[in-house]
Amino acid sequence: MRRMEHPLNQFKYCPKCGSAHFEIHNEKSKQCTDCGFVYYFNPSSATVALILNEQDELLVCRRAKEPAKDTLDLPGGFIDMNETGEEGVAREVEEETGLKVKKATYLFSLPNIYIYSGFPVHTLDMFFLCQVENTSHFEAMDDVADSFFVPLNQINPEEFGLGSIKKGLKRFLKER
């Protein structure tokens, strides 16, 4: 079995005092041997929106950027500081599609590793079933190249580029 690289391996200096004596403390933290600061590596929060229209079709996006550029995706993204999951998913949906979320219902979460600018970001992806004001007026914006509705019975999770989206869609379709 291949040994995983420590998640903080790319961090060489203590973020508190700048010392180069920033060493592995345990499997999820590093400690500075000069000032004693311990930094724990925790996942970033991210959201995924499942938006259905009146015809029981799912809103699907095509990624405009890496990772997984040109593959299928669902609206969503990282939660900002001081946002709830519901606020974060609503903001991301509006930024990427122009749709206004009326209600976001939490469904489940999945761990993920998202490669951002070549850096592996551990995330906790929270899936929400979102009701929007009007499913007929949307557009691809921000980091979305295209967006369109697909009948649920035609959704193939293997066509989606990100691992947690594939797993989440399989779970959503199975539990539906």
Side-chain angles (χ1 to χ4, degrees), residues 33-70:
T33 57
D34 286 341
C35 75
F37 178 74
V38 178
Y39 181 80
Y40 285 91
F41 189 71
N42 296 307
S44 294
S45 300
T47 62
V48 179
L50 295 151
I51 300 169
L52 298 169
N53 65 12
E54 297 78 24
Q55 293 77 39
D56 217 25
E57 297 171 319
L58 181 66
L59 183 63
V60 171
C61 300
R62 187 165 306 282
R63 295 182 63 80
K65 300 177 182 175
E66 294 296 346
K69 182 180 178 180
D70 296 326

Side-chain angles (χ1 to χ4, degrees), residues 103-126:
K103 182 179 180 184
T105 304
Y106 173 80
L107 299 176
F108 56 85
S109 64
L110 293 171
N112 187 30
I113 297 178
Y114 181 82
I115 306 301
Y116 183 79
S117 297
F119 182 79
V121 178
H122 289 251
T123 64
L124 181 62
D125 296 349
M126 295 178 283

